[in-house]
Structure formats: structure tokens, C-alpha cells
Amino acid sequence: MSRTVFCRKYQKEMEGLAMPPMPGPKGQDIYDNVSRTAWEEWQNQQTMLINEKHLSLMDPNTRKYLQAQMEHFFNNEPFDQAEGYVPPEK
């Protein structure tokens, strides 16, 4: 049986992550307060930002930028999105 968390993004009980996605307090906070669905959506958004803006993960400023955007995303605040992205039609 999977564990549930009260998701900060969706404001409801949802399936949680199996383990913290990163070490340290930030990883524990995400593990405790972000659903698997919200984490997967962030991973997709992050990939688009990295590709669209040609970001280098070797640059500490890039990592700070992505951390800030992640916080905005999970807190339902405005965040940078890939400018040319058009979601596929269903």
C-alpha cells in the first residue's frame, strides 16, 4: 500500500513519493508535503526549462534558479515556463 501526503500543490490527500527525491531538509520537505503526481509534473516542467533556456546544471546559479522555480510551482505561485511549449491536444 502506498503512503499518502497532504499535497501542498493540490491541497488534498494524494499518493506520496516512495523516498525523498534529494538529500537534506529540502528533500524531506518534498517527501512530506508533495504528492507523486505534483513531483512528476515538476520534473516535466524542469526538463522543459532546462531544454528551452539551455541551462547548465553545472552552474550553481542554475540550480538556485530551478530551486526557486520549484518552490513557486509547488506553492501555486507564478513560475517560469518554457515559452514555446504548446500542450498536446487530447
Side-chain angles (χ1 to χ4, degrees), residues 56-85:
S56 168
L57 296 177
M58 297 295 290
D59 181 358
N61 291 326
T62 293
R63 294 193 301 271
K64 287 178 188 175
Y65 165 76
L66 290 172
Q67 286 272 336
Q69 295 310 308
M70 178 179 71
E71 286 300 316
H72 294 309
F73 178 82
F74 290 142
N75 292 327
N76 292 312
E77 299 168 350
F79 65 96
D80 288 351
Q81 296 185 8
E83 295 158 12
Y85 177 71

Side-chain angles (χ1 to χ4, degrees), residues 32-74:
D32 293 336
N33 300 298
V34 174
S35 68
R36 184 179 57 82
T37 301
W39 178 253
E40 289 172 357
E41 289 174 4
W42 166 248
Q43 292 292 284
N44 291 332
Q45 287 293 330
Q46 177 178 252
T47 299
M48 287 190 286
L49 285 173
I50 291 167
N51 291 338
E52 175 79 20
K53 297 181 180 292
H54 306 286
L55 301 176
S56 168
L57 296 177
M58 297 295 290
D59 181 358
N61 291 326
T62 293
R63 294 193 301 271
K64 287 178 188 175
Y65 165 76
L66 290 172
Q67 286 272 336
Q69 295 310 308
M70 178 179 71
E71 286 300 316
H72 294 309
F73 178 82
F74 290 142

Side-chain angles (χ1 to χ4, degrees), residues 4-18:
T4 61
V5 296
F6 186 80
C7 182
R8 184 164 70 204
K9 179 160 182 64
Y10 291 107
Q11 295 295 302
K12 64 181 181 179
E13 288 286 327
M14 297 178 74
E15 181 181 351
L17 296 168

